[in-house]
Amino acid sequence: MIGRVVLILVLQTIALGAMVGMKQWTLSTGRPVLLETEPVDPRSLFRGDYVRLNYAISQIDVELVEGDDEFERHGDIFVVLEQGDKYWEPRSIHRQYPAVDEDLVVIRGEVIGTGGPTFDPETSELLPGSSVLVGYGIENYFVPEGEGRALEQPDAGQIDIEIAVDRAGNAAIRSLIIDGDVRYVESLL
Amino acid sequence: MNTGRFVKRLRDELPIWQERGWVTEDNGRAIIEYLEAQQGESRHLPTAIAIFGVLLLGAGVITWFAANWTGIGKLVKLMILLGSLYSTYAIAAFLLRENRYTRTGEAVLLLGIILFGANIMLIAQIYHIDAHFPNGILLWALGGLVTAWLMKSAPAMVATLALGCLWTGSETIGFGRVHWWYLLLWVAILPAVYRWQWRRTFVFALVTLALWSVFTFPAVDADFGTGARLFLMQVYFLAYLAIFIIGLLMDNWSPAERFARAVQGLGIIGTLTCGYALTSPNLQSGSFGYYEAAHRQPADDQWILLNLVATAVAVLLSGWHYLRTRHTETSKWFEYGRLVLAAALVVMIVSLFVDGVHGGPLAIVMNVLFFAGVVWLVYAGMQMGNRLLVNLGFVYFAVTLLTRYFDTFWTLFNRSLFFMVGGLLLIVGGYWLERQRRRITSGIIADRRDAS
C-alpha cells in the first residue's frame, strides 16, 4: 500500500516538475526578444488578476511578410522575427520550422484564426488584406491582486514584454517592463 | 443494493415463497424485520457524506488559494501545494491500510485527485504557463488513471473518466476537431474494469463514450460540409447497432456476461436515437433552413466507403450472432428483426446514391421501418425478459409518433384543431401505450418469478 502511494506521488510530482522544468528551460536557454504589446481584459474569475497581452505580432498581415500564405486554424505556425529599431518584428511565417540565420529568432505559435482584414490598433481602422491571428502561449501574465486592472488603464505607461525563445521556438515571458523599468521578473523560486 | 427497494420486492415475493413451502410465515416475518432494522443503517449514507465532505473541502481549498494566493511567495506556494497533495495521499493510505476505512479512504483518494488538478492549475499560474489548456486536463486525468490503477479504486476511475470527458469535450467543442485520442484513454480503463469487475464504472464509461460520440458529430459535420450529416448519422446508426449486437454476443460469453446488459443498453439507445433522427424528412432531404443547401447530393466516395464498411461490420456481427443462437429457443423471433434490419440497411445504401428530391419518399420508408423495428424491439424485450428494451420501445414509439404528428399536421390543420387533436392523441394514446407497457413489463416480472 505504502509503496503504491509513493509511486503515485513520484509520478504526479514528476508531471508537475516537468511543467516547471520545461518553462525554466525556455527561460534559461532562450534568446531574449523584446515585444511591443498592449494589455487588455485583466481578470481571471478563478485565478485572480492577470494581464491579457495583445502583441504586435499577434496579428500578422500575410501579404506583408514572406513565407507561406495558407494556414489551418489551430495548426502550428512558425514566425521568424528580426530585430527592429526597438522591438522584434515578424519577417516571415511558415507551417514548418524554417532554417534561419543566427541573427533571427523563430517563435512557435498556434493559428487562432485566419482570413479577414487586418485591424490597425492606432487608427481603429480595418486594413485590406488577409491576416493570421497567432497565439504564442505568452498572452496571459498573472500579477498581484488589483494590479491587473491598474495596468489596463491608459495612464499605466508603455508596457513592453521581454520574452525568451528557445531553440524549439517555445516562448516564455521573462519580464514585464513599464516605461523602461523592469517591474516583474520571472525566477524559479 | 437499495435496501428499501429490496424489502418492498421481498414483501411481494414472500407470500409466493410461503405458499410453495420454501419459507415459513415466522421466518418470512423475521427476515423482513431484520432487513427493516438494517434500513436505518444504510451503508450508502456514510459514503455519500464522506464524498460530499471531500467535495466541499476540495472546493474550499481551491477558493482559499484563489483568495490569498498573490500574497504568498513562490517557494511557500509550492510547499503548500505539494504538502497538501502528499499529506492527502498519506491519509488515504492510512485509511485504506488493511481495508479498515475503505469508503472514507476512497473519498480521501478522490480529494488527492482534486488536489493534483489544483496543483496543475496553480503551478501553471505561478509560472505563467499558458499552453493548450486541454493538455492540463489530460495531465489531470492521467494522474487520476495512475491513482485508480495502483489503488484499485473504482471512484478514482470514475473521476478519471469524468476528467477524460472534460478533456475530449474541450478539444472537440473548443477547437472544433475530431478527437480520437479519447478512445485511447477509454481503452486504458477497460483492463481495470474487467479485472476488478467494476460494473458501475463500466456503465459510466459507456456514458462517456456516448458523450464523446455526441461531441464528435458536429466536428465531423463541420469538417465534411453540407450533406455529411445524413451519411454520418447512418454511420452512427450502424456503429451503435454493432455495439448492441456485441452486447447480445456478450450475453453468451461468460467472461463478459456481467457487462452485457450495459453494452446492450448503450447500443440500443444509440441505435434508436440515430434511427429516430433518420426518420426526419429534413435530414433526408438535406434542408435545414437558410444556411444550408435545399437538397443534399449523392454521397462522395469516402462516405460510400465508410457506410459500406460500417454496414459490413453490422452484417458480420449479426451473422455471428445468428450462428451462436440459431439452436436456442429464442432464435425464431430474431428472424423478423433481421428482416426489418436488412430492409433498413438496403434503404441506407440506396440513400447514398440519390439526391434530395428523393428525401421525402426515403423518409416515409425509414418511418415505416423504424416503427416496425420498435414493435420488434418490444417483442424482443418480451422474449428476452428485458424490461429496458420494452420501455425503450414504447418511449421511441410515442416520441416518433408525436414528431410525425407535428411534422404532418402543423401546417395542414387550423392551430386550435391541431392542439385539440394533439392533446386528445396524447391523452388517449399515452394511456393506451402506458397500459400496454405495464401489462408487458409485469408479465416479464411474473415470468421471472415463476422461473425462480
Side-chain angles (χ1 to χ4, degrees), chain B residues 233-257:
Chain B
M233 190 60 80
Q234 292 192 170
V235 172
Y236 265 51
F237 175 87
L238 293 162
Y240 274 111
L241 181 66
I243 290 172
F244 177 60
I245 301 170
I246 288 170
L248 292 177
L249 285 164
M250 285 165 71
D251 251 343
N252 300 314
W253 186 46
S254 54
E257 202 180 342

Side-chain angles (χ1 to χ4, degrees), chain A residues 1 4-5 8-9 11-13 19-20 23 46-47 74 110 137 139-142 144-145 186-188, chain B residues 66 70 74 78 86 89 93 96 116 119-120 123 125 127-130 139 143 146-147 150-151 175 177:
Chain A
M1 172 67 71
R4 279 181 279 147
V5 169
I8 291 169
L9 287 174
L11 291 172
Q12 292 191 350
T13 307
M19 286 171 63
V20 179
K23 182 58 75 175
F46 299 106
R47 300 193 287 183
H74 299 304
E110 180 188 338
E139 284 73 19
N140 294 326
Y141 192 78
F142 287 86
E145 192 89 1
E186 271 305 288
S187 61
L188 178 60
Chain B
T70 49
K74 266 185 186 176
L78 288 176
Y86 293 169
Y89 275 103
L96 291 168
F116 179 58
N119 271 254
I120 293 169
I123 284 177
Q125 180 193 331
Y127 290 95
H128 306 286
I129 299 167
D130 187 15
L139 192 62
V146 166
T147 307
L150 289 174
M151 303 301 288
F175 295 88
R177 56 189 171 204

Side-chain angles (χ1 to χ4, degrees), chain B residues 125-144:
Chain B
Q125 180 193 331
I126 296 169
Y127 290 95
H128 306 286
I129 299 167
D130 187 15
H132 183 66
F133 77 90
N135 288 352
I137 307 172
L138 168 65
L139 192 62
W140 192 359
L142 291 177

